[in-house]
PDB file of all heavy atoms in Angstrom:
ATOM      1  N   VAL G   1      11.455 -14.986 -15.299  1.00 86.00           N
ATOM      2  CA  VAL G   1      10.541 -15.259 -14.090  1.00 86.00           C
ATOM      3  C   VAL G   1       9.361 -15.981 -14.505  1.00 86.00           C
ATOM      4  O   VAL G   1       8.719 -15.652 -15.534  1.00 86.00           O
ATOM      5  CB  VAL G   1      10.102 -13.910 -13.395  1.00 86.00           C
ATOM      6  CG1 VAL G   1       9.200 -14.293 -12.220  1.00 86.00           C
ATOM      7  CG2 VAL G   1      11.355 -13.102 -12.909  1.00 86.00           C
ATOM      8  N   LEU G   3       5.679 -17.684 -12.915  1.00 95.00           N
ATOM      9  CA  LEU G   3       4.690 -17.579 -11.838  1.00 95.00           C
ATOM     10  C   LEU G   3       3.686 -18.637 -11.799  1.00 95.00           C
ATOM     11  O   LEU G   3       3.247 -19.121 -12.843  1.00 95.00           O
ATOM     12  CB  LEU G   3       3.923 -16.170 -11.999  1.00 95.00           C
ATOM     13  CG  LEU G   3       4.827 -14.981 -12.031  1.00 95.00           C
ATOM     14  CD1 LEU G   3       3.910 -13.750 -12.244  1.00 95.00           C
ATOM     15  CD2 LEU G   3       5.643 -14.698 -10.792  1.00 95.00           C
ATOM     16  N   VAL G  32       7.387  -5.334  -9.337  1.00 95.00           N
ATOM     17  CA  VAL G  32       6.028  -5.287  -8.723  1.00 95.00           C
ATOM     18  C   VAL G  32       5.197  -6.585  -9.064  1.00 95.00           C
ATOM     19  O   VAL G  32       5.344  -7.020 -10.174  1.00 95.00           O
ATOM     20  CB  VAL G  32       5.245  -4.011  -9.294  1.00 95.00           C
ATOM     21  CG1 VAL G  32       3.784  -3.996  -8.815  1.00 95.00           C
ATOM     22  CG2 VAL G  32       5.953  -2.742  -8.877  1.00 95.00           C
ATOM     23  N   CYS G  95      -1.715 -13.825 -11.470  1.00 97.00           N
ATOM     24  CA  CYS G  95      -0.705 -12.901 -10.951  1.00 97.00           C
ATOM     25  C   CYS G  95       0.226 -12.590 -12.023  1.00 97.00           C
ATOM     26  O   CYS G  95       0.445 -13.384 -13.024  1.00 97.00           O
ATOM     27  CB  CYS G  95       0.061 -13.531  -9.766  1.00 97.00           C
ATOM     28  SG  CYS G  95       0.839 -15.104 -10.066  1.00 97.00           S
ATOM     29  N   ALA G  96       0.921 -11.423 -11.880  1.00 97.00           N
ATOM     30  CA  ALA G  96       1.805 -10.927 -12.995  1.00 97.00           C
ATOM     31  C   ALA G  96       2.903 -10.136 -12.334  1.00 97.00           C
ATOM     32  O   ALA G  96       2.748  -9.613 -11.218  1.00 97.00           O
ATOM     33  CB  ALA G  96       1.036 -10.117 -13.972  1.00 97.00           C
ATOM     34  N   THR G  97       4.050 -10.030 -13.024  1.00 95.00           N
ATOM     35  CA  THR G  97       5.127  -9.230 -12.524  1.00 95.00           C
ATOM     36  C   THR G  97       5.948  -8.604 -13.583  1.00 95.00           C
ATOM     37  O   THR G  97       5.892  -9.003 -14.758  1.00 95.00           O
ATOM     38  CB  THR G  97       5.996 -10.129 -11.634  1.00 95.00           C
ATOM     39  OG1 THR G  97       6.954  -9.305 -10.860  1.00 95.00           O
ATOM     40  CG2 THR G  97       6.884 -11.133 -12.431  1.00 95.00           C
ATOM     41  N   ASP G  98       6.652  -7.566 -13.277  1.00 91.00           N
ATOM     42  CA  ASP G  98       7.646  -7.000 -14.102  1.00 91.00           C
ATOM     43  C   ASP G  98       8.469  -6.011 -13.381  1.00 91.00           C
ATOM     44  O   ASP G  98       8.166  -5.708 -12.172  1.00 91.00           O
ATOM     45  CB  ASP G  98       6.900  -6.265 -15.266  1.00 91.00           C
ATOM     46  CG  ASP G  98       7.728  -6.280 -16.589  1.00 91.00           C
ATOM     47  OD1 ASP G  98       8.990  -6.249 -16.502  1.00 91.00           O
ATOM     48  OD2 ASP G  98       7.166  -6.343 -17.641  1.00 91.00           O
ATOM     49  N   ASN G  99       9.497  -5.566 -14.008  1.00 90.00           N
ATOM     50  CA  ASN G  99      10.486  -4.631 -13.381  1.00 90.00           C
ATOM     51  C   ASN G  99      10.087  -3.249 -13.736  1.00 90.00           C
ATOM     52  O   ASN G  99       9.816  -2.945 -14.950  1.00 90.00           O
ATOM     53  CB  ASN G  99      11.877  -4.980 -13.896  1.00 90.00           C
ATOM     54  CG  ASN G  99      12.915  -4.288 -13.100  1.00 90.00           C
ATOM     55  OD1 ASN G  99      12.708  -3.711 -12.049  1.00 90.00           O
ATOM     56  ND2 ASN G  99      14.132  -4.222 -13.692  1.00 90.00           N
ATOM     57  N   PHE G 100      10.002  -2.413 -12.736  1.00 89.00           N
ATOM     58  CA  PHE G 100       9.561  -1.081 -12.967  1.00 89.00           C
ATOM     59  C   PHE G 100      10.576  -0.011 -12.447  1.00 89.00           C
ATOM     60  O   PHE G 100      11.339  -0.398 -11.517  1.00 89.00           O
ATOM     61  CB  PHE G 100       8.224  -0.770 -12.255  1.00 89.00           C
ATOM     62  CG  PHE G 100       7.064  -1.481 -12.850  1.00 89.00           C
ATOM     63  CD1 PHE G 100       6.761  -2.815 -12.487  1.00 89.00           C
ATOM     64  CD2 PHE G 100       6.305  -0.956 -13.904  1.00 89.00           C
ATOM     65  CE1 PHE G 100       5.689  -3.519 -13.038  1.00 89.00           C
ATOM     66  CE2 PHE G 100       5.281  -1.654 -14.499  1.00 89.00           C
ATOM     67  CZ  PHE G 100       4.968  -2.904 -13.988  1.00 89.00           C
ATOM     68  N   SER G 109      -2.165  -1.299 -14.928  1.00 96.00           N
ATOM     69  CA  SER G 109      -2.487  -1.707 -16.376  1.00 96.00           C
ATOM     70  C   SER G 109      -1.887  -3.058 -16.715  1.00 96.00           C
ATOM     71  O   SER G 109      -0.791  -3.328 -16.424  1.00 96.00           O
ATOM     72  CB  SER G 109      -1.809  -0.669 -17.317  1.00 96.00           C
ATOM     73  OG  SER G 109      -1.884  -1.093 -18.653  1.00 96.00           O
ATOM     74  N   THR G 110      -2.809  -3.924 -17.272  1.00 96.00           N
ATOM     75  CA  THR G 110      -2.343  -5.257 -17.660  1.00 96.00           C
ATOM     76  C   THR G 110      -1.184  -5.143 -18.688  1.00 96.00           C
ATOM     77  O   THR G 110      -0.294  -6.005 -18.599  1.00 96.00           O
ATOM     78  CB  THR G 110      -3.510  -6.038 -18.291  1.00 96.00           C
ATOM     79  OG1 THR G 110      -4.019  -5.254 -19.455  1.00 96.00           O
ATOM     80  CG2 THR G 110      -4.642  -6.231 -17.317  1.00 96.00           C
ATOM     81  N   GLY G 111      -1.165  -4.133 -19.529  1.00 95.00           N
ATOM     82  CA  GLY G 111      -0.145  -4.059 -20.527  1.00 95.00           C
ATOM     83  C   GLY G 111       1.200  -3.789 -20.009  1.00 95.00           C
ATOM     84  O   GLY G 111       2.285  -3.854 -20.709  1.00 95.00           O
ATOM     85  N   SER G 112       1.261  -3.406 -18.692  1.00 95.00           N
ATOM     86  CA  SER G 112       2.579  -2.926 -18.112  1.00 95.00           C
ATOM     87  C   SER G 112       3.395  -4.191 -17.558  1.00 95.00           C
ATOM     88  O   SER G 112       4.476  -4.074 -17.200  1.00 95.00           O
ATOM     89  CB  SER G 112       2.333  -1.997 -16.941  1.00 95.00           C
ATOM     90  OG  SER G 112       1.801  -0.804 -17.378  1.00 95.00           O
ATOM     91  N   TYR G 113       2.672  -5.315 -17.498  1.00 95.00           N
ATOM     92  CA  TYR G 113       3.255  -6.544 -16.920  1.00 95.00           C
ATOM     93  C   TYR G 113       3.495  -7.560 -17.969  1.00 95.00           C
ATOM     94  O   TYR G 113       2.621  -7.909 -18.725  1.00 95.00           O
ATOM     95  CB  TYR G 113       2.353  -7.126 -15.875  1.00 95.00           C
ATOM     96  CG  TYR G 113       2.112  -6.256 -14.719  1.00 95.00           C
ATOM     97  CD1 TYR G 113       1.224  -5.219 -14.755  1.00 95.00           C
ATOM     98  CD2 TYR G 113       2.823  -6.477 -13.476  1.00 95.00           C
ATOM     99  CE1 TYR G 113       1.044  -4.310 -13.679  1.00 95.00           C
ATOM    100  CE2 TYR G 113       2.592  -5.598 -12.372  1.00 95.00           C
ATOM    101  CZ  TYR G 113       1.745  -4.560 -12.490  1.00 95.00           C
ATOM    102  OH  TYR G 113       1.498  -3.768 -11.328  1.00 95.00           O
ATOM    103  N   ASP G 114       4.745  -8.054 -18.139  1.00 94.00           N
ATOM    104  CA  ASP G 114       5.120  -8.938 -19.154  1.00 94.00           C
ATOM    105  C   ASP G 114       5.111 -10.413 -18.747  1.00 94.00           C
ATOM    106  O   ASP G 114       5.016 -11.337 -19.600  1.00 94.00           O
ATOM    107  CB  ASP G 114       6.489  -8.685 -19.639  1.00 94.00           C
ATOM    108  CG  ASP G 114       6.561  -7.426 -20.594  1.00 94.00           C
ATOM    109  OD1 ASP G 114       5.485  -7.127 -21.149  1.00 94.00           O
ATOM    110  OD2 ASP G 114       7.646  -6.902 -20.797  1.00 94.00           O
ATOM    111  N   TYR G 115       5.129 -10.682 -17.446  1.00 94.00           N
ATOM    112  CA  TYR G 115       5.248 -12.055 -16.938  1.00 94.00           C
ATOM    113  C   TYR G 115       3.914 -12.394 -16.263  1.00 94.00           C
ATOM    114  O   TYR G 115       3.601 -11.782 -15.236  1.00 94.00           O
ATOM    115  CB  TYR G 115       6.423 -12.274 -16.004  1.00 94.00           C
ATOM    116  CG  TYR G 115       7.757 -11.865 -16.639  1.00 94.00           C
ATOM    117  CD1 TYR G 115       8.313 -10.591 -16.380  1.00 94.00           C
ATOM    118  CD2 TYR G 115       8.410 -12.716 -17.528  1.00 94.00           C
ATOM    119  CE1 TYR G 115       9.477 -10.225 -16.993  1.00 94.00           C
ATOM    120  CE2 TYR G 115       9.550 -12.313 -18.086  1.00 94.00           C
ATOM    121  CZ  TYR G 115      10.142 -11.124 -17.885  1.00 94.00           C
ATOM    122  OH  TYR G 115      11.362 -10.629 -18.420  1.00 94.00           O
ATOM    123  N   TRP G 116       3.246 -13.464 -16.673  1.00 96.00           N
ATOM    124  CA  TRP G 116       1.981 -13.814 -16.119  1.00 96.00           C
ATOM    125  C   TRP G 116       1.980 -15.340 -15.723  1.00 96.00           C
ATOM    126  O   TRP G 116       2.588 -16.081 -16.358  1.00 96.00           O
ATOM    127  CB  TRP G 116       0.860 -13.654 -17.165  1.00 96.00           C
ATOM    128  CG  TRP G 116       0.615 -12.155 -17.508  1.00 96.00           C
ATOM    129  CD1 TRP G 116       1.427 -11.398 -18.254  1.00 96.00           C
ATOM    130  CD2 TRP G 116      -0.387 -11.295 -16.879  1.00 96.00           C
ATOM    131  NE1 TRP G 116       0.845 -10.080 -18.284  1.00 96.00           N
ATOM    132  CE2 TRP G 116      -0.194 -10.084 -17.414  1.00 96.00           C
ATOM    133  CE3 TRP G 116      -1.445 -11.636 -16.079  1.00 96.00           C
ATOM    134  CZ2 TRP G 116      -1.075  -8.980 -17.090  1.00 96.00           C
ATOM    135  CZ3 TRP G 116      -2.319 -10.641 -15.696  1.00 96.00           C
ATOM    136  CH2 TRP G 116      -2.127  -9.291 -16.201  1.00 96.00           C
ATOM    137  N   GLY G 117       1.213 -15.624 -14.643  1.00 95.00           N
ATOM    138  CA  GLY G 117       0.955 -16.970 -14.302  1.00 95.00           C
ATOM    139  C   GLY G 117      -0.252 -17.462 -15.028  1.00 95.00           C
ATOM    140  O   GLY G 117      -0.900 -16.831 -15.735  1.00 95.00           O
TER     141      GLY G 117
END
Side-chain angles (χ1 to χ4, degrees):
V1 176
L3 303 176
V32 172
C95 58
T97 192
D98 212 327
N99 192 15
F100 293 89
S109 171
T110 57
S112 298
Y113 296 80
D114 282 342
Y115 305 99
W116 290 81

